[in-house]
Amino acid sequence: MKKLSLFLLTVLSINLYAKDPEPAKLRYSEDFILEQVLKLKNWDRRPEVPVPEYHFESQTPLKFFQDMIEEQWGMRPDRITNAFAVKHNLVFISDDAAYYERTGRCMDDSVAHELTHYLQAKYKGWDLNDDSLEWDAIDIQTQFREKFCK
């Protein structure tokens, strides 16, 4: 009984003091990232086009993400992922620090990717169902990462 009590006390103590890992943080402001994406695209800023609202995974309820993205994707994802919700002008970004560390990326390049989709949809009116637009966003994301995420 003593061993069981000691075991339970140890497990409870560990769980009591265990903290969720800190979420990743942006190195640069959203505005700076947008300006850099515009430069990489060689496009001018259009102040009349509202900038998107940002929602980070650690601060966003899954149901809200699902509600905002379901119509666009035709499904309710089981977790929050990086995405641009065109109709609602929302950027969703994972801020899982372990993911970015494991992949050698920074959260800022994910924002650059989603801002590329924002520009494609809101500046040019392009349909994001066009697969070539995903390749364009990957290219901009890679360029941004190589320049700013070292």
Side-chain angles (χ1 to χ4, degrees), residues 24-68:
K25 303 276 189 239
L26 290 173
R27 296 179 185 183
Y28 305 98
S29 71
E30 291 97 343
D31 193 58
F32 175 85
I33 299 169
L34 177 58
E35 289 299 326
Q36 296 309 310
V37 171
L38 284 164
K39 283 181 186 176
L40 290 169
K41 298 291 298 164
N42 200 25
W43 293 353
D44 293 326
R45 186 153 196 179
R46 294 180 46 201
E48 75 278 7
V49 178
V51 294
E53 185 178 302
Y54 295 85
H55 294 271
F56 298 96
E57 179 181 18
S58 66
Q59 302 166 10
T60 304
L62 176 60
K63 183 182 182 317
F64 177 73
F65 173 73
Q66 292 169 327
D67 291 347
M68 296 298 105

